[in-house]
Short mmCIF file of all heavy atoms in Angstrom, two decimals:
data_model
loop_
_atom_site.label_atom_id
_atom_site.label_comp_id
_atom_site.label_asym_id
_atom_site.label_seq_id
_atom_site.Cartn_x
_atom_site.Cartn_y
_atom_site.Cartn_z
N CYS A 166 72.88 89.36 41.24
CA CYS A 166 73.21 89.16 39.79
C CYS A 166 73.86 87.84 39.55
O CYS A 166 74.83 87.60 40.18
CB CYS A 166 74.04 90.31 39.22
SG CYS A 166 74.82 89.94 37.71
N ARG A 167 73.26 86.94 38.69
CA ARG A 167 73.91 85.69 38.36
C ARG A 167 74.81 85.98 37.15
O ARG A 167 74.43 85.77 35.96
CB ARG A 167 72.88 84.62 37.94
CG ARG A 167 71.92 84.30 39.07
CD ARG A 167 70.79 83.35 38.66
NE ARG A 167 69.91 84.00 37.65
CZ ARG A 167 68.78 84.56 37.91
NH1 ARG A 167 68.45 84.72 39.20
NH2 ARG A 167 68.13 85.20 37.00
N TRP A 168 76.09 86.31 37.42
CA TRP A 168 76.93 86.78 36.38
C TRP A 168 77.64 85.55 35.54
O TRP A 168 78.30 85.87 34.61
CB TRP A 168 77.96 87.81 36.78
CG TRP A 168 79.13 87.32 37.65
CD1 TRP A 168 79.24 86.12 38.18
CD2 TRP A 168 80.27 88.14 37.84
NE1 TRP A 168 80.49 86.03 38.84
CE2 TRP A 168 81.12 87.17 38.67
CE3 TRP A 168 80.70 89.41 37.65
CZ2 TRP A 168 82.32 87.70 39.15
CZ3 TRP A 168 81.94 89.81 38.06
CH2 TRP A 168 82.77 88.92 38.80
N ASP A 169 77.39 84.39 35.98
CA ASP A 169 77.78 83.26 35.23
C ASP A 169 76.68 82.61 34.43
O ASP A 169 76.84 81.52 34.01
CB ASP A 169 78.61 82.29 36.08
CG ASP A 169 77.51 81.55 37.04
OD1 ASP A 169 76.44 82.14 37.34
OD2 ASP A 169 77.73 80.42 37.48
N GLN A 170 75.51 83.31 34.28
CA GLN A 170 74.40 82.71 33.52
C GLN A 170 74.81 82.56 32.03
O GLN A 170 75.70 83.32 31.61
CB GLN A 170 73.04 83.63 33.72
CG GLN A 170 73.26 84.88 32.95
CD GLN A 170 71.88 85.52 32.59
OE1 GLN A 170 70.82 84.90 32.70
NE2 GLN A 170 71.88 86.72 32.10
N ARG A 171 73.97 81.76 31.35
CA ARG A 171 74.26 81.59 29.95
C ARG A 171 72.95 82.08 29.29
O ARG A 171 71.93 81.38 29.13
CB ARG A 171 74.49 80.14 29.50
CG ARG A 171 75.81 79.67 30.11
CD ARG A 171 76.01 78.18 29.54
NE ARG A 171 77.37 77.78 29.68
CZ ARG A 171 77.93 77.24 30.88
NH1 ARG A 171 77.25 77.17 31.99
NH2 ARG A 171 79.21 76.84 30.80
N PRO A 172 72.96 83.34 28.77
CA PRO A 172 71.69 83.93 28.24
C PRO A 172 71.07 83.23 27.21
O PRO A 172 69.73 83.12 27.09
CB PRO A 172 72.20 85.33 27.78
CG PRO A 172 73.50 85.61 28.45
CD PRO A 172 74.08 84.33 28.66
N ARG A 173 71.86 82.47 26.38
CA ARG A 173 71.31 81.69 25.17
C ARG A 173 70.40 80.55 25.81
O ARG A 173 69.37 80.16 25.23
CB ARG A 173 72.23 81.16 24.30
CG ARG A 173 72.88 82.26 23.37
CD ARG A 173 73.52 81.68 22.12
NE ARG A 173 73.95 82.86 21.35
CZ ARG A 173 75.12 83.18 21.10
NH1 ARG A 173 76.11 82.43 21.40
NH2 ARG A 173 75.44 84.31 20.32
N ASP A 174 70.80 79.97 26.90
CA ASP A 174 70.11 78.87 27.57
C ASP A 174 68.77 79.43 28.12
O ASP A 174 67.77 78.76 28.00
CB ASP A 174 70.89 78.24 28.69
CG ASP A 174 72.10 77.41 28.07
OD1 ASP A 174 72.21 77.31 26.84
OD2 ASP A 174 72.91 76.98 28.89
N VAL A 175 68.87 80.56 28.72
CA VAL A 175 67.67 81.19 29.34
C VAL A 175 66.61 81.43 28.19
O VAL A 175 65.39 81.13 28.39
CB VAL A 175 68.01 82.38 30.00
CG1 VAL A 175 66.73 82.98 30.66
CG2 VAL A 175 69.04 82.14 31.07
N VAL A 176 67.05 82.03 27.09
CA VAL A 176 66.20 82.31 26.02
C VAL A 176 65.63 81.04 25.38
O VAL A 176 64.41 80.99 25.15
CB VAL A 176 66.91 83.23 24.97
CG1 VAL A 176 66.03 83.27 23.60
CG2 VAL A 176 67.11 84.67 25.51
N ALA A 177 66.39 80.08 25.32
CA ALA A 177 65.94 78.76 24.72
C ALA A 177 64.87 78.14 25.74
O ALA A 177 63.83 77.64 25.33
CB ALA A 177 67.14 77.79 24.60
N GLU A 178 65.15 78.19 26.99
CA GLU A 178 64.24 77.73 27.99
C GLU A 178 62.92 78.31 27.89
O GLU A 178 61.81 77.76 28.18
CB GLU A 178 64.89 77.74 29.38
CG GLU A 178 64.24 76.80 30.38
CD GLU A 178 64.75 77.06 31.83
OE1 GLU A 178 65.87 77.41 31.99
OE2 GLU A 178 63.93 76.75 32.68
N ALA A 179 62.88 79.66 27.51
CA ALA A 179 61.62 80.38 27.49
C ALA A 179 60.90 80.02 26.19
O ALA A 179 59.77 80.46 25.94
CB ALA A 179 61.86 81.92 27.45
N GLY A 180 61.55 79.26 25.42
CA GLY A 180 60.93 78.83 24.08
C GLY A 180 60.78 79.91 23.02
O GLY A 180 59.95 79.87 22.07
N LEU A 181 61.63 80.92 23.06
CA LEU A 181 61.54 81.96 22.14
C LEU A 181 62.30 81.74 20.87
O LEU A 181 63.34 81.03 20.92
CB LEU A 181 62.10 83.27 22.84
CG LEU A 181 61.34 83.74 24.07
CD1 LEU A 181 61.94 85.03 24.60
CD2 LEU A 181 59.74 83.80 23.74
N THR A 182 61.98 82.37 19.78
CA THR A 182 62.51 82.08 18.47
C THR A 182 63.52 83.19 18.19
O THR A 182 63.16 84.34 17.98
CB THR A 182 61.46 82.05 17.33
OG1 THR A 182 60.55 81.03 17.74
CG2 THR A 182 62.03 81.79 16.02
N VAL A 183 64.86 82.80 18.14
CA VAL A 183 65.86 83.77 17.90
C VAL A 183 66.17 84.04 16.41
O VAL A 183 66.31 83.04 15.68
CB VAL A 183 67.15 83.36 18.67
CG1 VAL A 183 68.30 84.31 18.25
CG2 VAL A 183 66.97 83.21 20.11
N GLN A 184 66.02 85.24 15.93
CA GLN A 184 66.24 85.58 14.57
C GLN A 184 67.66 85.92 14.31
O GLN A 184 68.25 85.60 13.30
CB GLN A 184 65.38 86.84 14.20
CG GLN A 184 63.88 86.43 13.98
CD GLN A 184 63.20 87.75 13.69
OE1 GLN A 184 63.28 88.77 14.42
NE2 GLN A 184 62.34 87.68 12.61
N ASP A 185 68.30 86.55 15.36
CA ASP A 185 69.71 86.84 15.20
C ASP A 185 70.31 87.03 16.67
O ASP A 185 69.66 87.48 17.56
CB ASP A 185 69.80 88.23 14.52
CG ASP A 185 71.24 88.66 14.19
OD1 ASP A 185 71.91 87.81 13.60
OD2 ASP A 185 71.69 89.74 14.55
N THR A 186 71.49 86.66 16.70
CA THR A 186 72.28 86.71 18.12
C THR A 186 73.68 86.98 17.78
O THR A 186 74.32 86.50 16.82
CB THR A 186 72.07 85.51 18.98
OG1 THR A 186 72.65 85.67 20.17
CG2 THR A 186 72.44 84.21 18.34
N THR A 187 74.28 87.75 18.67
CA THR A 187 75.76 88.02 18.56
C THR A 187 76.37 87.98 20.04
O THR A 187 75.68 88.11 20.99
CB THR A 187 76.03 89.54 18.09
OG1 THR A 187 75.47 90.46 19.05
CG2 THR A 187 75.35 89.81 16.73
N THR A 188 77.64 87.80 20.00
CA THR A 188 78.36 87.77 21.30
C THR A 188 79.54 88.83 21.18
O THR A 188 80.06 89.10 20.11
CB THR A 188 78.97 86.50 21.62
OG1 THR A 188 79.70 85.96 20.67
CG2 THR A 188 78.00 85.60 22.22
N GLY A 189 79.95 89.39 22.30
CA GLY A 189 81.14 90.35 22.24
C GLY A 189 81.74 90.33 23.68
O GLY A 189 81.14 89.68 24.58
N LEU A 190 82.73 91.29 23.89
CA LEU A 190 83.36 91.37 25.14
C LEU A 190 83.82 90.11 25.77
O LEU A 190 83.30 89.70 26.93
CB LEU A 190 82.43 92.27 26.05
CG LEU A 190 83.13 92.98 27.12
CD1 LEU A 190 83.85 94.13 26.58
CD2 LEU A 190 82.12 93.57 28.18
N PHE A 191 84.62 89.26 25.05
CA PHE A 191 85.15 87.98 25.51
C PHE A 191 83.93 87.02 25.87
O PHE A 191 84.01 86.26 26.77
CB PHE A 191 86.04 88.18 26.78
CG PHE A 191 87.05 89.24 26.59
CD1 PHE A 191 87.01 90.41 27.27
CD2 PHE A 191 88.09 88.97 25.76
CE1 PHE A 191 87.94 91.41 27.09
CE2 PHE A 191 89.02 89.95 25.56
CZ PHE A 191 88.95 91.23 26.21
N GLY A 192 82.87 87.13 25.05
CA GLY A 192 81.77 86.17 25.29
C GLY A 192 80.83 86.70 26.42
O GLY A 192 79.82 86.00 26.69
N MET A 193 81.07 87.77 27.13
CA MET A 193 80.32 88.18 28.22
C MET A 193 78.97 88.86 27.87
O MET A 193 78.13 88.88 28.63
CB MET A 193 81.13 89.00 29.20
CG MET A 193 82.12 88.14 29.98
SD MET A 193 82.96 89.06 31.28
CE MET A 193 84.01 90.14 30.35
N ILE A 194 79.02 89.46 26.62
CA ILE A 194 77.70 90.16 26.15
C ILE A 194 77.12 89.25 25.07
O ILE A 194 77.79 88.95 24.03
CB ILE A 194 78.00 91.54 25.62
CG1 ILE A 194 78.60 92.52 26.76
CG2 ILE A 194 76.83 92.13 24.94
CD1 ILE A 194 77.58 92.92 27.69
N THR A 195 75.84 89.02 25.20
CA THR A 195 75.06 88.33 24.18
C THR A 195 73.92 89.12 23.79
O THR A 195 73.19 89.65 24.71
CB THR A 195 74.63 86.94 24.64
OG1 THR A 195 75.67 86.24 25.19
CG2 THR A 195 74.05 86.21 23.48
N THR A 196 73.67 89.44 22.49
CA THR A 196 72.55 90.21 22.16
C THR A 196 71.62 89.36 21.24
O THR A 196 72.04 88.36 20.68
CB THR A 196 72.97 91.53 21.24
OG1 THR A 196 73.19 91.10 19.90
CG2 THR A 196 74.18 92.19 21.81
#
Side-chain angles (χ1 to χ4, degrees):
C166 161
R167 295 177 293 272
W168 75 348
D169 67 335
Q170 73 157 351
R171 291 181 165 89
R173 288 202 175 114
D174 291 353
V175 179
V176 167
E178 201 186 330
L181 301 183
T182 303
V183 176
Q184 286 175 308
D185 187 49
T186 178
T187 63
T188 49
L190 205 69
F191 310 110
M193 287 187 289
I194 295 285
T195 310
T196 81

